[in-house]
Amino acid sequence: MSAASQRFALIAVRCVFAAKWLRQNVYLAVGTVIILAFLIAAVFGEQIAPYGANKQNLLNSLEGPSEAHWLGTDPLGRDLLSRVVVGTRHTLSVAVISVTLSCFLGVILGLISGFVRGHLATAVDAIVDVALTIPNMILAISIAAVMGAGLTGLIIAISISFTPPISRIVRGRVLEIREEDFILAARTIGVRPWRILLRHVLPNAATVIVIEASLQAGQAVLTATALGFLGLGVQPPTPEWGTLLGYGREYLHSAPFMVIAPGLAISLMVLGFNLLGDGLRDLLDPRVGN
Amino acid sequence: MTSATRRTKRILLAGAAGIVLASTSSLAGPQDNTLVFGQSQSITDIGPAYNAFLQYPSGYEASFVIYDRLVTFDDQLRFNPQLAESWTIADDQKSVTFKLRAGATFHDGTPINAEAIKFNIERMMDPEINTTNRPLWDPIAGADAVDDLTVRISTHEPFALLFNTLAHGSGAILSPTAIMENGQESETQNPVGSGPYKVESFNPGLELVLAPHEGYWAGKPPLDKVIFRYVPEAATRVSALRSGDVDVIDGVPTHLIAQIESDDGLQVLTSPSLRPMGLAMQTTVPPLDNVDVRRALNHAIPVDAIAEKLFLGQAKASNSPLAFNTVGYHGNEPYSYDPDKAREMLAAAGLTDSDGNGIVEQDGTDLVFTLLVPEGVFANDVLIAETAAAALQDVGVGIEIRKIERSSFWDTLRLPVAEAGWQIGMFGFNPSNASGLYHLDSMYTSNPDNVGRPAVWNITRYSNPEVDALLAQATVTVDGDARAAILAEAQDMIWNDAPYIWLQVNNIISATRADLDGVEVWPVIFTVVRGGAY
């Protein structure tokens, strides 16, 4: 066999493997592509957007989708595509920051209640139990209403309302791990508890945390835009998706493209995070049959 | 309990009730002989005193159905008799004697006589009871019962606006028996008037149900029920009208007019309004204390474009502190839209952009104003704020928009200067007694304490002694032409002093079923369903 055909065979085999991997992990692949695209829009929003997000032109108000304005214009003649693209940064950063914060808090609380035990753990359990009885959305609305419209309020509201479920999931996993033989072995040879926690328990719980975080990110997008829709998001003229959707509602009959643009963006981002989460679970979680 | 906490409690209760009520279907339309009015604002108080008919304008709209007044307006704001049949003005012009309609009774059966009128007039003169609308009632000296059906109302000086006061919502006549039995404050929740419909049930903040007053002096009212229901979202109101859930709506957005007009079963009612919109500037806060800066900002806003594009022609750019149809209106030279001129004027006032970031500096720091705006209180409020912000930024004035929840909006406008947290705020005064003098007096007479809460609605803290003197003179000038001449002079001064960035006067737009007659849209922004019939 010639060197050229050997190389060709190798490439073919690789392609087959890549295709097989991709087929098995199609969720992960599609989710990653969607989120990467949004990430690029979030970082380079102003450069990508065809017009300034707040550039008004009253002469072009409420124009339907056209070659010049792919998703149409709003009542002030602002390009909806540009507003949606520039608005990506806001929604994505709210989702990522608040999920990171809630994971951080949730992991600490979960580790305490799952591993430490004692009065502190009982107290944490009780608080988490109570918090879990309040629906996420209601908790977030109440916190946002007290904090007022703005980025900080939004992030705090979502972080706090998302912490209890994460803490509960981490606790469950920790309770499993602490009964494993290798933990017993570590204890027997006198490894300090905090070292066991950091070196053995946490790495083993990391998988569920990562999967839960990516799924929660989708929820965070929905909560953030819902708060924006209710007028608790950001101050105008910031192009936030939920706020755009809220304004568009009044024009549902006369200019439906006002809600289609931000609505599509929200759906797509939630889909991206959910696919990513599902894909990660398929890939990482040994309990899911592959 | 303060009235504020009581109101909060009421609103919370109403919210809870709303969840229950929202799921039940309701009466509406000619088949039920019921008129349902879907209102853009909620009703929490329905008495003329103690804050007077909250919220605005929904409470006033209900009051015109529940109560009678001595005289009333028609939809052209002319005076018509209501409880009074006729009147004579004294030669010294300091009193008017009213002859009352015989046989009229309140909802509780109490006869309406001179004593009842005297009771109500004296009640509204009391600042402890009638806490708002003071400029309407302070000039009144008292009322005397001449005989059972004749009452004389006297004023301290000749009072040009006596009829405006009596026709105003706060001129409502209440049953003295009910007030004596139920307490002074009972009127806000459980009022007893003499209008064609009486209160059957009231869920503050949500729904007010009225039933016909069988003993109404003009005969049995035509409808079996009149229901006022709060429908905050404009698009939802229009949908509710189209589906027949409600029969009348107010606050129709201009872009939905075509949709309503295309439906043969519906009709649009419009009226030019008496409420000129503007952006109030805190004239005591530098650099807004400089009249040239205020004028410059007036040149920066494309008001004609706002009127044409955002209101689709249902608005006109202002050219006076008063709206075009207000009694006493006098037009001025409009501030042309000229951003270059605005930049030059700002530069001449020492406001230039030396660091090249597009925002002018004042004492070395970027000049950024907070622009206060409500959502859903004024037509296109947030869109106008965004347009104004972009236009002001274009001439180098930084703007941060602060959108505020509608229930706290009015109070935030009236905060003392140091606590206000805004320098520019959207506002439009509605002269609800149809008088240009009342309008100017409420908005531009100097405040006694110019950094505290404004006495009435002078939220710009505008203070010009010449204007004060002219308005004081107009109040005691009974001759209409002479008064108009004084008001014209005052309008010129105020217009040139520019305490506001003047915006547009937009039409009031309501809509009803086409088979419903008798609903009136008054230029004082009220939609009045008192005469409604199928």
Side-chain angles (χ1 to χ4, degrees):
Chain A
M1 208 189 280
S2 71
S5 61
Q6 259 184 353
R7 204 179 301 140
F8 180 75
L10 197 66
I11 292 173
V13 170
R14 277 185 188 160
C15 282
V16 170
F17 272 112
K20 196 178 167 203
W21 186 87
L22 205 64
R23 202 165 52 241
Q24 281 173 349
N25 298 289
V26 62
Y27 285 179
L28 187 62
V30 176
T32 310
V33 168
I34 294 176
I35 297 304
L36 269 180
F38 277 123
L39 206 61
I40 293 170
V43 176
F44 302 106
E46 280 82 357
Q47 286 77 23
I48 298 172
Y51 301 90
N54 293 322
K55 179 72 192 153
Q56 299 178 3
N57 183 354
L58 284 176
L59 298 176
N60 280 342
S61 88
L62 287 177
E63 277 192 10
S66 66
E67 213 170 303
H69 302 280
W70 292 2
L71 296 178
T73 62
D74 75 358
L76 300 183
R78 295 174 292 198
D79 179 51
L80 282 169
L81 176 64
S82 306
R83 287 180 73 69
V84 168
V85 169
V86 172
T88 309
R89 179 177 309 148
H90 182 270
T91 306
L92 195 63
S93 51
V94 168
V96 170
I97 296 175
S98 52
V99 166
T100 311
L101 275 176
S102 59
C103 277
F104 183 72
L105 280 173
V107 166
I108 292 179
L109 294 178
L111 289 179
I112 291 176
S113 85
F115 195 77
V116 178
R117 302 261 170 115
H119 291 311
L120 183 60
T122 315
V124 170
D125 280 352
I127 294 171
V128 169
D129 276 343
V130 171
L132 277 173
T133 61
I134 308 172
N136 259 350
M137 198 61 210
I138 297 198
L139 195 61
I141 290 175
S142 323
I143 297 168
V146 172
M147 299 279 301
L151 193 62
T152 325
L154 208 58
I155 288 174
I156 292 177
I158 297 175
S159 306
I160 293 182
S161 66
F162 277 30
T163 298
I166 290 182
S167 139
R168 189 39 56 96
I169 283 165
V170 172
R171 174 178 182 268
R173 184 79 185 113
V174 170
L175 284 174
E176 258 176 70
I177 297 168
R178 55 170 292 142
E179 304 304 331
E180 298 278 351
D181 288 345
F182 65 92
I183 303 287
L184 190 64
R187 277 185 207 268
T188 318
I189 59 171
V191 181
R192 290 171 193 283
W194 62 267
R195 204 175 155 80
I196 296 179
L197 200 62
L198 292 184
R199 293 295 292 270
H200 300 291
V201 177
L202 195 53
N204 277 294
T207 310
V208 289
I209 298 171
V210 169
I211 295 166
E212 186 59 22
S214 54
L215 291 174
Q216 291 280 22
Q219 280 302 309
V221 170
L222 279 183
T223 311
T225 48
L227 290 178
F229 184 85
L230 296 174
L232 294 166
V234 290
Q235 292 290 2
T238 315
E240 193 271 327
W241 292 351
T243 315
L244 295 185
L245 200 61
Y247 282 144
R249 179 180 39 174
E250 204 175 274
Y251 297 82
L252 209 54
H253 289 284
S254 54
F257 49 85
M258 287 266 299
V259 295
I260 291 174
L264 270 181
I266 295 168
S267 311
L268 208 58
M269 190 182 270
V270 175
L271 181 71
F273 274 121
N274 284 352
L275 289 179
L276 193 67
D278 283 347
L280 281 174
R281 188 170 52 205
D282 291 348
L283 188 70
L284 300 175
D285 195 336
R287 288 171 299 185
V288 177
N290 209 339
Chain B
M1 194 155 44
T2 68
S3 74
T5 53
R6 200 171 46 236
R7 200 157 55 240
T8 312
K9 202 172 150 193
R10 262 186 239 142
I11 290 168
L12 286 175
L13 280 173
I19 295 165
V20 180
L21 275 176
S23 59
T24 59
S25 67
S26 54
L27 306 166
Q31 67 280 10
D32 296 314
N33 198 25
T34 296
L35 183 155
V36 183
F37 180 4
Q39 291 180 296
S40 56
Q41 308 292 327
S42 63
I43 305 176
T44 54
D45 287 9
I46 33 180
Y50 305 105
N51 290 329
F53 312 119
L54 291 174
Q55 305 280 332
Y56 197 81
S58 48
Y60 276 90
E61 290 170 337
S63 84
F64 292 125
V65 183
I66 302 171
Y67 301 110
D68 285 329
R69 287 148 291 140
L70 283 175
V71 291
T72 185
F73 296 114
D74 62 12
D75 60 359
Q76 301 298 310
L77 301 178
R78 291 169 299 224
F79 298 114
N80 282 342
Q82 200 166 58
L83 284 179
E85 264 180 344
S86 62
W87 51 82
T88 46
I89 302 172
D91 289 342
D92 67 356
Q93 303 196 319
K94 283 161 87 170
S95 70
V96 180
T97 306
F98 292 90
K99 187 82 190 144
L100 301 180
R101 193 175 292 284
T105 60
F106 290 104
H107 300 153
D108 62 359
T110 309
I112 299 175
N113 54 24
E115 282 302 328
I117 306 294
K118 175 177 156 66
F119 173 88
N120 277 280
I121 301 292
E122 286 175 352
R123 199 166 167 269
M124 294 310 281
M125 286 162 55
D126 182 349
E128 297 285 315
I129 294 174
N130 177 16
T131 50
T132 49
N133 293 316
R134 293 313 311 165
L136 275 64
W137 291 91
D138 284 338
I140 294 180
D144 304 296
V146 177
D147 62 41
D148 192 44
L149 289 178
T150 311
V151 65
R152 184 172 55 236
I153 298 175
S154 46
T155 56
H156 298 294
E157 299 290 329
F159 178 36
L161 302 181
L162 178 63
F163 283 81
N164 300 70
T165 293
L166 298 175
H168 182 256
S170 64
I173 304 298
L174 282 61
S175 162
T177 324
I179 295 289
M180 292 304 189
E181 280 175 10
N182 305 335
Q184 290 284 359
E185 288 196 48
S186 63
E187 58 152 48
T188 65
Q189 304 301 305
N190 181 27
V192 179
S194 62
Y197 299 91
K198 61 185 178 190
V199 178
E200 183 176 284
S201 69
F202 181 33
N203 263 314
L206 190 78
E207 194 174 68
L208 170 67
V209 181
L210 306 181
H213 170 31
E214 304 289 341
Y216 183 50
W217 51 264
K220 186 180 180 303
L223 297 170
D224 290 342
K225 262 190 176 42
V226 176
I227 300 173
F228 294 84
R229 186 175 297 153
Y230 178 37
V231 187
E233 303 295 339
T236 316
R237 275 198 302 281
V238 174
S239 303
L241 180 70
R242 286 164 59 94
S243 68
D245 284 345
V246 303
D247 309 304
V248 181
I249 58 171
D250 69 338
V252 177
T254 42
H255 62 93
L256 293 179
I257 293 178
Q259 199 191 338
I260 296 174
E261 280 177 339
S262 70
D263 191 330
D264 287 341
L266 306 177
Q267 59 184 342
V268 175
L269 306 176
T270 64
S271 167
S273 120
L274 299 191
R275 177 163 76 179
M277 294 303 304
L279 298 175
M281 293 179 273
Q282 299 262 11
T283 60
T284 54
V285 177
L288 296 177
D289 55 348
N290 181 343
V291 64
D292 289 327
V293 172
R294 301 199 299 264
R295 285 178 188 149
L297 300 192
N298 266 289
H299 284 294
I301 311 280
V303 184
D304 282 320
I306 290 175
E308 268 170 47
K309 291 293 170 182
L310 288 187
F311 288 93
L312 307 174
Q314 294 280 355
K316 255 164 87 179
S318 292
N319 67 357
S320 159
L322 296 181
F324 305 98
N325 295 37
T326 308
V327 177
Y329 157 81
H330 167 75
N332 296 266
E333 179 69 27
Y335 289 89
S336 56
Y337 172 53
D338 190 345
D340 289 328
K341 187 171 180 184
R343 283 186 208 99
E344 280 168 28
M345 290 171 77
L346 289 174
L351 298 168
T352 51
D353 176 22
S354 51
D355 59 7
N357 67 347
I359 305 289
V360 300
E361 287 100 42
Q362 182 194 18
D363 305 327
T365 50
D366 282 346
L367 180 65
V368 180
F369 293 123
T370 299
L371 168 56
L372 185 76
V373 63
E375 186 167 15
V377 170
F378 307 117
N380 287 328
D381 39 22
V382 175
L383 288 176
I384 294 170
E386 288 185 285
T387 311
L392 291 172
Q393 241 133 19
D394 183 45
V395 301
V397 176
I399 295 289
E400 271 176 19
I401 296 177
R402 186 172 150 217
K403 188 179 75 181
I404 185 165
E405 215 267 312
R406 60 175 102 181
S407 61
S408 45
F409 172 66
W410 303 106
D411 196 49
T412 310
L413 275 181
R414 286 165 52 92
L415 285 177
V417 175
E419 297 165 32
W422 57 268
Q423 295 81 42
I424 301 181
M426 186 175 288
F427 182 59
F429 181 85
N430 178 43
S432 49
N433 68 350
S435 153
L437 169 56
Y438 169 59
H439 187 147
L440 295 177
D441 188 23
S442 299
M443 286 184 80
Y444 304 108
T445 296
S446 301
N447 289 307
D449 168 10
N450 221 22
V451 292
R453 277 178 186 276
V456 192
W457 275 108
N458 185 354
I459 55 174
T460 59
R461 277 79 181 177
Y462 174 72
S463 180
N464 182 340
E466 287 179 74
V467 170
D468 290 344
L470 286 170
L471 295 179
Q473 190 192 340
T475 306
V476 294
T477 305
V478 178
D479 177 66
D481 290 340
R483 191 166 69 237
I486 301 168
L487 291 184
E489 205 179 327
Q491 284 170 77
D492 283 343
M493 284 183 188
I494 298 166
W495 182 259
N496 290 321
D497 286 340
Y500 275 77
I501 298 174
W502 315 105
L503 297 172
Q504 84 290 346
V505 181
N506 48 281
N507 290 345
I508 316 148
I509 309 168
S510 296
T512 71
R513 300 172 58 102
D515 53 3
L516 178 63
D517 297 323
V519 175
E520 294 175 353
V521 177
W522 291 1
V524 283
I525 76 166
F526 301 132
T527 300
V528 181
V529 299
R530 181 182 173 116
Y534 292 104

